[in-house]
Amino acid sequence: MSRFMNILVHVPKRFKSNLSPSLSQIFKNPPAINSELTINGYVKSVRSLKKVAFVDLSDGSTHQNLMCVLKPHQAENLRTGQSLSLRGNWIKSTGKEQAFEFKVLNDNESVKIIGNVPETYPLQKKLHTLQYLRTLPTLRWRTSYLSSILRFRSFVDFKLNEFFQSRDFVKVNPPIITSSDCEGAGELFQIESRNTELGNEPFFGKNAYLTVSTQLHLEVLAASLGNVWTLSPVFRAESSDTNRHLSEFWMLEAEISYVEDLNQLTRFSEDMIKAVLKDLVEDKNFVASNILKSQRSTEDLNEINQKLINRWKNLYNKKWDTISYDKAVKILKDSRKNFRIPVKYEDGLATEHEKWLAGEYFKGPVFVTDYPKDLKPFYMKTNNDLQTVACFDLLVPDVGEIIGGSLREHNLELLKQETNRREMNSEDIQWYISLRENGSVPHGGFGLGLERLICYLSGADNIRDVVPLPRAYQECEA
Amino acid sequence: MSRFMNILVHVPKRFKSNLSPSLSQIFKNPPAINSELTINGYVKSVRSLKKVAFVDLSDGSTHQNLMCVLKPHQAENLRTGQSLSLRGNWIKSTGKEQAFEFKVLNDNESVKIIGNVPETYPLQKKLHTLQYLRTLPTLRWRTSYLSSILRFRSFVDFKLNEFFQSRDFVKVNPPIITSSDCEGAGELFQIESRNTELGNEPFFGKNAYLTVSTQLHLEVLAASLGNVWTLSPVFRAESSDTNRHLSEFWMLEAEISYVEDLNQLTRFSEDMIKAVLKDLVEDKNFVASNILKSQRSTEDLNEINQKLINRWKNLYNKKWDTISYDKAVKILKDSRKNFRIPVKYEDGLATEHEKWLAGEYFKGPVFVTDYPKDLKPFYMKTNNDLQTVACFDLLVPDVGEIIGGSLREHNLELLKQETNRREMNSEDIQWYISLRENGSVPHGGFGLGLERLICYLSGADNIRDVVPLPRAYQECEA
């Protein structure tokens, strides 16, 4: 007996590939009406009537299912979750919900169960809570809503690549493993080899950690290549169990040379996110419809969709607000809102303050600039007032901060003063400091939490639902 | 005194940005002849004659330097490595080497040293060895050759993104931190939080490691989304100190559903690399000229360039060879070559064997398929002969293996037999095995070492020269 199932089908030439075409590709480039073909996918639902049975087929490539029409006897052994290979004709649909349907040939050979499921297969047609789905880390991405989020993430990733390409930035891969522990402090993960043959010496000859931000290394590359960016995993051993924190997440970081005005950075960030929004608003690639049509609850479908569409249009069409930290604190205090955490100038903004500012006060994104220097890291450029730094956070409704950026102190003496003032062990980052004595230029950059952006743009409430297998305190499934 | 230097210049509208335009952007979209503008960059070299001085200016955005013409007195304090801001006119060049040059205005205000360098600045006009440059981890990317490699890498990255987008693959980010130690064995890095406030319990509730390959997790996502890919850092605690091994490197991995023939995977890999080569051969975006013109030694320039151009054309125009492992071993044995490591069927191919097969015998890339199962991991699909697995390695001249792929065992019983035969602790990967009981489909995929591909396509000899800050055994600079 062959170990292979021979489900291979002739791939029509129009697909320029010898892979089995996905439903997404078939919908975009449909076969001729009445033509015969084989289609693969998994069962979303089966409905058997007296004379006819319907199978909703999906393959995860699009939110759109293919309605397959069978004889009832052909559907007897079918159930949700099974993978099928079906032979049939592509016909015009008589129903209103879709333009096409797939009429399976009337013999038993035309319905093959490629992969079976146990009767206890946990995903059924009914709507499961997201909380329940999180207990099924390997299966939850088969649901329409969650799979649409990963497709959406993929789309956003590609648009960001296109944006930086169009701006002539060089994409780089700074190291993930670092020997500097000057950032991150208690939030660092330490790493060591388990290779016992190498003896007890540290593998890298010194302590090594997972990076909390690639910025310092990105500055090395900006000093040589001009404008650089990266999309890279970063790691924080945070124990805060919230719906917006993970121990492993992806950060987009950019570092830009010859920048002296914070405005250049905030406008650039705005352009970057608007480059993604343009396609959403125009829905050129049906990504927007994808995420909209697969919203969870049919009851609130229209409401949720309208909220998202308004969010995108509002973001895309308006010029984003900018205020100073001073002003932000004043607005928060004047609001007389009863925040859980009281507003204090020297404490910085708590998430609830950020959400209120963006969500309630500005009703949209807002850049908050020029924070007190003691609230921010050592490398940020001090302003002329000597009290604040030339930095910004981008706050958005529902999520809070999604971008943090600043001009960097590029003057050697001023940078040294600051590391001394903070009593930092500067030996550790001598390599970084030395950039300032080798043709240093005014520069700045920012970091964008990719998952937070995805949450904001897709309307997802919990960051765990926009990452395939979330890693957090006491959480490392599969 | 202001802490800012006021080097900000008016950015012409044609750049659709308020960032200072890079030399690359200016060359692509040059200003009107004789127009006055400010240009920023670092000094590659200074040459002073009696009546005129020349400064070669670069900003890392292109291999092409801008020739700046100054009065000798203006160049008195200038030296290699300094960052300058120059005010002048864009004029037609009288020389043959470039179409344009930049005539600096005749006053002292027009030459600003933005960032100085010590007299010991280690990069001088002369050609430094790559070995020496590796001792300057933060400065070496300022050399024409090495910066062109990073720009080349960025280009390849973008082309790969375009390719997968055009094939409707979903880009995903499988976890970097994993609790499975069934792959990698002695090559694993273990991670633990340094957050002492959390007590002595493992941060993730169990042992956690850095991933050696995202494949197993990628299969989770392929089972839901169909065809997926990722570009992700992976980690191996290898102590082998060679010019093709790193402890941290980037791997492109793809996982494809409804694949039953190895040919589909090899052809797809070939299409993928040819998508990158197309632009190189046609040199649409001047990436090819970029890497060619910045080759290291002017002496061998033509020879090296011709070798690269031939490599690209040869790769692009020919259909790549495929042979079985059996056949490969036979060819190696029949060659009667005196290999350092003797050729034995049961030992697999050593790097020297791989390089000889691709470089000497096939004179181009070759897919070697169907290795004996004991040379390969547990998840590969056993062939009908029960001795070999449906897998392939792509071997290329000079580098050896750059891709490894296979069909995966998607049958639950057969997979369990194999984990039992290998006496694996399958509890650890129960999540992976369970995919086979939930609508499993025939699937397969591959992993491409990004750095090795860059080495091969750019002609770089040492993998350390295609990664910003290489991490390897006893090597973790900056």
Side-chain angles (χ1 to χ4, degrees), chain B residues 206-245:
Chain B
K206 48 184 142 181
N207 286 346
Y209 312 97
L210 293 179
T211 192
V212 296
S213 154
T214 65
Q215 180 205 314
L216 303 189
H217 293 113
L218 218 48
E219 286 186 53
V220 169
L221 298 164
S224 289
L225 300 165
N227 297 342
V228 295
W229 77 291
T230 192
L231 192 49
S232 189
V234 296
F235 303 85
R236 307 216 176 143
E238 286 188 279
S239 57
S240 34
D241 177 26
T242 79
N243 61 2
R244 40 171 250 150
H245 286 95

Side-chain angles (χ1 to χ4, degrees), chain A residues 5-6 28 83 168 224 260 439, chain B residues 5-6 28 83 168 260 439:
Chain A
M5 307 192 62
N6 301 313
K28 275 191 225 164
S83 296
D168 281 270
S224 289
E260 263 207 321
Chain B
M5 307 194 60
N6 300 316
K28 275 191 227 165
S83 295
D168 282 270
E260 264 208 321

Side-chain angles (χ1 to χ4, degrees), chain A residues 30 100 128 168 172 179 181 232 238 270 275 288 326 343 388 415:
Chain A
F100 304 107
H128 301 289
D168 281 270
V172 291
S179 59
D181 63 355
S232 189
E238 287 187 278
E270 188 174 332
D326 266 19
V343 180
T388 60
L415 184 63

Side-chain angles (χ1 to χ4, degrees), chain A residues 11-17 21-33 35 37 39 62 64 90 100 286, chain B residues 166 168:
Chain A
V11 181
K13 266 202 174 160
R14 69 184 188 282
F15 294 110
K16 290 177 191 156
S17 163
S22 65
L23 283 180
S24 154
Q25 291 175 313
I26 291 173
F27 287 133
K28 275 191 225 164
N29 200 346
I33 294 295
S35 60
L37 70 157
I39 283 183
T62 160
Q64 205 180 336
W90 187 259
F100 304 107
F286 304 103
Chain B
S166 76
D168 282 270

